Amino acid sequence: VASRLVDRARALIEASPGDSRAYHLVIASLRTDPSLVNAYAALADLLDARGADPYPVLRRVWHEHGSGDMEALRFVDQYARGDPANRLLEWCERGPRRPALIVRVAGDLEFLDLYDYDGVRGRKPAFVGRVHQPRLVCSPRDFGALPTTKQAIAEDLVKRGKDFRIVAHHDTTVELADRAVFGPAIDSVHFNAVLHRTLYRSRVVEQAARIVEIGVGSGFLFCSLIQALRQRPLEVVGSDVQASALATTRRNVNQTLARIPSAEQVHVRLEQCANLLERLPAGGIDLLLSNPPYIPERRPSGGTAYSGTAVVESLIARHAPRVLARGGVAVLLYSSLAAAAVQRSLEQSPLTPVVLGPSRRVPLDLREVSSDPAWIEMLLQHHGLEQTLDDPAHAYWHTLHVIALCRPEDEDLVVELGATLH
Ligand SMILES: C[S@@+](CC[C@H](N)C(=O)[O-])C[C@H]1O[C@@H](n2cnc3c(N)ncnc32)[C@H](O)[C@@H]1O
């Protein structure tokens, strides 16, 4: 009922923003469901259309009709910095103007907000709904808790998002127009959340100048690094085996650099290759980042863009110990599926691992990678893939871990990074 009332309010706002019935419909919807953040989003649009600052009114309405709902208050409070949809519009206006699904993910992944952008100049993205505690970045299976009148829209949007999607998390926004490119998925966003809680608060960000990422995908983490470290001259090198990933990263880097004042100090190089680390000079890297392929393969084949553990193994045991400079750090995300391979490589590596946490248990959509039943059986039997019958939406689960690797002589750095956890 509440969500139908909001839809009626929205229709009135579109037709005639001066009509006071829209306001009353929003209030009526909040009386029915005070946690329906769509009501606040509609009210904000109403005030915006009338040229008023939404925030003070949203605050007052929350006090009077919000029934103390704290999630709704968090939603309202983001308007203190202006309408988030307008900030997204800034991004949309600079990129290719075409319809897009926009996903704005909260800092520690407590929720994600979905927006529908129609690609029309000057028209801000429309708020679709908030998904609390998402298990993946953009899975229709997580959308059961959206307002009922929005679920079909959200599912359509996800289909459209396969062609064009914009993902925003912390200060980083990237766009993705190529299905073959590894977009910001739950592991990328979890990795970024951990970087913000740990590495970006450590002295590494004040000192690192020579930075490398192996396997840039959409460029999401690459752009996050550029933004976090942008205050001084930087040499940032990224590699991927896929040409399409590098093209996507290049577009996102250009958009990111266009938004930072110190862009001319940031020197970016992107290389299509599988062995960048072998070619880098010894002791020349301050920060090495990677979210490499992590699903063990059934038969050793050297790995594909997404599966195989060879990249992470050689990085830990051979390359990072050679290329890291004094005070340098390698930061990696790996899955519990690759835990044995990572453990073996750590035993062969002189570097000291520091857990950057917390870990995150997430679903694994194996159909996206392979449908070979023997392979799934191998992952279940030998690599700790979890299967659950409790959750009809997601059958397979694994756990994501982030670790930093430091040179053993950098004991103070090990202590400092370890302390960021607490
Ligand atoms: C799990 S995705 C991570 C993408 C991106 N960094 C993110 O977190 O969203 C792994 C990426 O590594 C790339 N890749 C696989 N093997 C590689 C190699 N040997 N060197 C460089 N990139 C590689 C894949 O093409 C893919 O884009």
Side-chain angles (χ1 to χ4, degrees):
V1 172
S3 99
R4 291 223 164 77
L5 290 170
V6 175
D7 287 349
R8 278 170 54 201
R10 278 212 170 276
L12 276 175
I13 296 166
E14 290 262 310
S16 138
D19 191 328
S20 62
R21 282 176 302 168
Y23 176 83
H24 294 296
L25 282 166
V26 166
I27 303 301
S29 83
L30 284 177
R31 290 216 185 94
T32 316
D33 180 0
S35 66
L36 184 63
V37 294
N38 291 58
Y40 293 101
L43 186 54
D45 287 346
L46 170 68
L47 293 156
D48 195 32
R50 291 182 186 170
D53 175 7
Y55 183 57
V57 181
L58 295 184
R59 256 330 263 238
R60 181 173 55 72
V61 166
W62 182 82
H63 270 290
E64 289 172 11
H65 307 283
S67 306
D69 189 283
M70 294 311 289
E71 294 296 345
L73 181 62
R74 279 173 64 147
F75 184 82
V76 164
D77 275 347
Q78 67 185 338
Y79 285 85
R81 293 173 55 215
D83 186 339
N86 282 332
R87 293 199 295 278
L88 293 169
L89 179 63
E90 270 172 46
W91 175 274
C92 297
E93 297 279 24
R94 287 222 195 94
R97 253 176 250 118
R98 51 189 276 203
L101 160 68
I102 305 183
V103 187
R104 210 167 56 86
V105 190
D108 276 332
L109 289 85
E110 313 87 278
F111 59 82
L112 50 87
D113 283 344
L114 301 177
Y115 289 84
D116 178 2
Y117 177 57
D118 60 11
V120 176
R121 178 182 260 284
R123 212 157 54 216
K124 73 179 184 186
F127 180 71
V128 175
R130 174 165 286 194
V131 178
H132 289 282
Q133 304 298 338
R135 285 163 291 191
L136 295 171
V137 163
C138 198
S139 163
R141 299 181 201 174
D142 282 343
F143 293 171
L146 284 177
T148 40
T149 58
K150 299 290 183 205
Q151 282 173 19
I153 297 175
E155 280 165 25
D156 276 356
L157 267 173
V158 172
K159 283 187 207 130
R160 183 201 293 173
K162 289 204 189 304
D163 294 322
F164 193 50
R165 184 160 25 124
I166 294 172
V167 179
H169 181 231
H170 284 286
D171 293 340
T172 305
T173 305
V174 293
E175 63 186 42
L176 202 81
D178 189 332
R179 288 173 191 229
V181 174
F182 189 97
I186 193 74
D187 44 356
S188 338
V189 178
H190 170 67
F191 199 170
N192 197 36
V194 172
L195 292 176
H196 277 265
R197 291 177 80 164
T198 58
L199 191 82
Y200 293 170
R201 293 185 187 168
S202 77
R203 94 184 113 98
V204 175
V205 282
E206 284 150 33
Q207 290 164 4
R210 295 158 300 174
I211 295 133
V212 170
E213 186 189 355
I214 302 299
V216 288
S218 67
F220 172 69
L221 296 168
F222 200 69
C223 291
S224 163
L225 279 172
I226 290 174
Q227 277 176 304
L229 287 89
R230 66 186 174 203
Q231 304 302 348
R232 61 186 176 282
L234 290 181
E235 172 107 18
V236 201
V237 184
S239 73
D240 206 293
V241 286
Q242 289 186 317
S244 51
L246 293 164
T248 303
T249 296
R250 197 174 307 280
R251 268 199 310 279
N252 286 319
V253 167
N254 289 343
Q255 280 247 47
T256 301
L257 290 177
R259 301 168 82 209
I260 60 178
S262 51
E264 76 289 344
Q265 298 198 76
V266 182
H267 299 283
V268 175
R269 203 172 82 229
L270 292 171
E271 289 196 25
Q272 185 182 357
C273 64
N275 63 348
L276 178 68
L277 290 174
E278 278 169 25
R279 294 187 283 108
L280 294 178
I285 302 302
D286 302 313
L287 177 54
L288 168 60
L289 193 86
S290 192
N291 170 13
Y294 50 60
I295 306 180
E297 296 201 295
R298 197 164 148 233
R299 297 185 195 87
S301 71
T304 67
Y306 300 112
S307 62
T309 54
V311 178
V312 73
E313 289 179 58
S314 62
L315 194 154
I316 295 174
R318 286 199 293 129
H319 301 308
R322 191 181 69 80
V323 300
L324 282 186
R326 182 84 214 244
V329 186
V331 189
L332 307 174
L333 178 138
Y334 69 92
S335 152
S336 47
L337 302 177
V342 167
Q343 192 51 43
R344 261 196 323 273
S345 315
L346 284 172
E347 281 158 18
Q348 294 163 21
S349 175
L351 300 176
T352 307
V354 185
V355 173
L356 301 182
S359 302
R360 189 176 186 93
R361 185 172 172 270
V362 296
L364 182 67
D365 196 347
L366 281 172
R367 288 166 314 171
E368 283 193 0
V369 191
S370 164
S371 54
D372 175 0
W375 180 65
I376 295 177
E377 196 51 36
M378 179 205 80
L379 294 176
L380 286 166
Q381 294 297 327
H382 303 293
H383 296 281
L385 176 66
E386 294 174 53
Q387 187 171 25
T388 167
L389 302 176
D390 314 340
D391 184 337
H394 302 285
Y396 300 111
W397 293 72
H398 66 144
T399 302
L400 304 174
H401 304 284
V402 179
I403 52 167
L405 302 173
C406 304
R407 291 161 53 122
E409 59 271 36
D410 294 325
E411 282 162 16
D412 48 341
L413 191 57
V414 172
V415 172
E416 187 188 336
L417 285 172
T420 59
L421 256 188
H422 307 290

